[in-house]
Amino acid sequence: MARIVLVVLVIVLLAMAGAAAWAYWIAHLALPQVDGVAMVPGLSSMVRVVRDEQGVPTIEAATLEDLFFAQGYVTAQDRLWQMDIMRRAAAGELSEIIGESTVKMDRAQRILGLRQVAEASEKNISSRDRAYFDAYTRGVNAFLESDRNRLPLEFRLMKYQPHPWTVTDSLLIGARLVQDLNDYSYAR
């Protein structure tokens, strides 16, 4: 009897160790590359990204377009989940992935119409700024394409893939930040 209990205990411990190793591997799969060389199509010249002890990136690029491209790539690499949730919250699209609990907030955001404001703003940006926004957008989407199978754990848990990034999405988040900075409901 003691031998059977020992065998069952060993099997349970091995199963727990295997599950822990799998969870560790899944969680670390989506961590950003912080060293080495990455070949990213879409740049006109070499870009250097150096991270400090806390992982904060510093980007060196020969052109502003490459700088914005790299900023989009690195931001998506570090914060894609946050970016996607922010654009969904601003546009009133959280319920599509979270469910009924965010319908009231989505309704308020859709009435406010930040997506329409961002779309209208996109039509009025200068050609220079448009080039920078386009470069940033290409950088975010380059990360999405290169790491589609290594997206942050939240996407896997929620069982969805983020949509490609757009210039409107960047403007939408900017509009939401203005909304948040002007709304004192958090202090109440």
Side-chain angles (χ1 to χ4, degrees):
M1 182 68 169
R3 182 176 242 164
I4 292 173
V5 169
L6 182 62
V7 168
V8 169
L9 182 61
V10 167
I11 291 171
V12 168
L13 288 174
L14 286 173
M16 288 174 57
W22 177 80
Y24 179 85
W25 177 75
I26 289 293
H28 282 78
L29 182 66
L31 290 178
Q33 178 182 343
V34 294
D35 54 9
V37 175
M39 302 303 284
V40 180
L43 293 168
S44 66
S45 61
M46 187 172 160
V47 171
R48 186 168 183 242
V49 178
V50 178
R51 293 179 182 264
D52 66 14
E53 300 81 38
Q54 286 78 40
V56 177
T58 299
I59 302 170
E60 297 174 10
T63 67
L64 283 173
E65 285 81 9
D66 282 349
L67 177 72
F68 280 101
F69 181 99
Q71 182 65 60
Y73 188 92
V74 169
T75 302
Q77 187 180 42
D78 290 349
R79 300 201 173 269
L80 185 60
W81 170 254
Q82 182 181 7
M83 293 169 69
D84 191 60
I85 287 299
M86 286 180 71
R87 75 171 159 181
R88 286 177 176 279
E93 299 169 353
L94 279 176
S95 299
E96 295 173 13
I97 58 167
I98 294 178
E100 288 292 316
S101 63
T102 55
V103 167
K104 185 177 178 182
M105 187 170 83
D106 280 353
R107 186 175 295 123
Q109 287 304 115
R110 287 184 183 215
I111 290 169
L112 187 58
L114 291 183
R115 179 164 294 284
Q116 290 80 6
V117 169
E119 288 168 349
S121 297
E122 182 179 354
K123 294 175 185 170
N124 294 318
I125 58 178
S126 70
S127 59
R128 182 199 69 163
D129 290 346
R130 178 65 192 217
Y132 300 153
F133 274 105
D134 284 342
Y136 181 86
T137 298
R138 287 192 315 275
V140 173
N141 289 327
F143 174 77
L144 278 170
E145 285 305 311
S146 68
D147 285 48
R148 179 114 358 234
N149 296 324
R150 297 184 50 215
L151 294 178
L153 184 59
E154 295 90 346
F155 290 109
R156 284 180 266 154
L157 292 174
M158 304 279 300
K159 296 182 177 141
Y160 85 97
Q161 294 274 323
H163 301 295
W165 198 257
T166 67
V167 171
T168 298
D169 292 330
S170 295
L171 294 167
L172 180 61
I173 288 178
R176 177 58 192 248
L177 291 173
V178 170
Q179 177 191 3
D180 288 346
L181 291 171
N182 285 294
D183 184 7
Y184 295 110
S185 65
Y186 301 114
R188 292 180 200 148

